[in-house]
Amino acid sequence: MYQESFIDSLSIFIILGLIFGAIALMFEFGYRLALRFPSNEYSQSISPMATGLASLLAFILAITFSMAAAKSADRKELVLTEANAVGTTILRTGLLAEPYRSRSRELLREYVTLRVIEKKNEQEQKVNTVIKESEILQLQLWNQAVDSHGSTSPELLLLYINSLNEVIDVHTERVNKGIRGRIPVSIWFTLGLLTFLTIALNGVQVGAQNKGRALVAALPFALAFSLVLTLIVELDRPARSIIEISQQPLIDLRDSLDKVLYPDGAGKLKLTE
C-alpha cells in the first residue's frame, strides 16, 4: 500500500526552494572555506578536479533523469493498457451466460468508475482505497467467471478469463511501477553527495581567486542544478504537482460504457454511486 513520504507531501515549488537553498549553502560553504587560503595557484590546481566532478555529476544526473523519465512513461502507458484490457473484458462479457453476463458488466462498470480519480487533490487520499476495492472487485469478477463454468462453453469462457487475467496483471503492474517503482535511496544518496562535492568545489575555486562571488553567474548556476534535480523528484513521485499522468483513456472508457455494452441504447445500467 502507498504511504506518503515527507517529500511526497510537499509542493514542487517548496521542493525547488529547498534544493536551491541547499545548493546555495554548498556554494557558500566552499567559498568561505577558500577565503582562508586565497591563492590564484590554488584555484588553478582545483580547476581540473572541479571539471571532472562536474562531468561525473552530469553523468549521474543524466542516468537518474533517464530512469525517472522511463518510469513516468511506463506509468502513462499502463493507463492506456489498462483501459484497453478492461474494454476488451467488457466486450467479452457477452460470451458469458446469464445471469453472469449482467453481473460481470455491473462489476466492470463499477471497476472503471473506481479507477478514475479526476480530482488531483484526491489522488493521495484515495489511492489505498482504490487499490483495496479494485482487488475486491477483481475477486468478485473471478468468482463470476468460475460460477459460469457450467453454463458457458469452455472455449468462450477461456477467452473471457484471459482478458480478466490481463486486467488483474495490469493492476498489479500499475501498483508496482506507480507506487513501489521509485528511484533507489542509494542513487539519491550518491546524487546528493556528488552535488555537494561539485558545488562546494566550485565555491572553493571562486573563493580562491578572491574576486567576489559573481552572483550574476552563481545564481543561474545554482538554479540550473535545482531545476534539473526538482524535475527528477517530480517525475519520481506517484502524486504529481505539475506533471500529471493522464487518466483520459480510462475516462473515455467510462464515458462510453453504455455505447460499448448497449449499442442499440436499450438496457442501460445505472452508474454505481
Side-chain angles (χ1 to χ4, degrees), residues 30-46:
Y31 178 80
R32 290 185 177 274
L33 183 65
L35 289 180
R36 298 187 178 186
F37 312 99
S39 170
N40 189 47
E41 294 181 359
Y42 186 51
S43 173
Q44 292 177 355
S45 64
I46 290 175

Side-chain angles (χ1 to χ4, degrees), residues 140-188:
Q140 292 175 348
L141 284 163
W142 184 262
N143 289 335
Q144 288 295 311
V146 172
D147 292 342
S148 70
H149 181 267
S151 56
T152 304
S153 68
E155 294 81 5
L156 298 180
L157 183 58
L158 181 60
L159 287 173
Y160 174 75
I161 287 178
N162 286 339
S163 297
L164 184 56
N165 275 335
E166 186 176 0
V167 171
I168 296 171
D169 291 343
V170 171
H171 163 77
T172 303
E173 195 171 358
R174 283 195 69 185
V175 171
N176 285 327
K177 290 189 175 181
I179 297 176
R180 303 179 188 131
R182 311 287 294 272
I183 294 175
V185 175
S186 57
I187 293 181
W188 281 118

Side-chain angles (χ1 to χ4, degrees), residues 217-245:
L219 290 179
F221 173 77
L223 183 60
F225 273 100
S226 301
L227 288 172
V228 173
L229 288 170
T230 302
L231 183 57
I232 294 173
V233 171
E234 174 74 350
L235 287 171
D236 188 52
R237 297 199 300 175
R240 310 295 180 78
S241 296
I242 55 177
I243 303 176
E244 297 183 55
I245 301 297

Side-chain angles (χ1 to χ4, degrees), residues 69-139:
K71 290 176 184 292
S72 181
D74 287 343
R75 293 175 186 135
K76 182 178 180 180
E77 183 65 26
L78 280 172
V79 176
L80 178 59
T81 301
E82 180 174 44
N84 290 335
V86 176
T88 300
T89 305
I90 290 172
L91 290 174
R92 289 185 180 179
T93 55
L95 303 175
L96 301 177
E98 291 290 1
Y100 310 107
R101 179 192 307 158
S102 296
R103 179 55 181 159
S104 296
R105 285 174 172 176
E106 290 174 3
L107 291 171
L108 284 165
R109 179 190 286 277
E110 185 178 348
Y111 187 84
V112 173
T113 304
L114 175 68
R115 302 291 285 182
V116 178
I117 306 177
E118 294 188 77
K119 296 181 180 179
K120 185 170 65 175
N121 59 347
E122 294 181 354
Q123 290 179 356
E124 295 179 27
Q125 292 80 7
K126 288 188 174 182
V127 62
N128 287 332
T129 301
V130 169
I131 292 173
K132 183 178 179 180
E133 293 184 5
S134 294
E135 291 172 353
I136 292 173
L137 288 171
Q138 289 167 9
L139 181 59

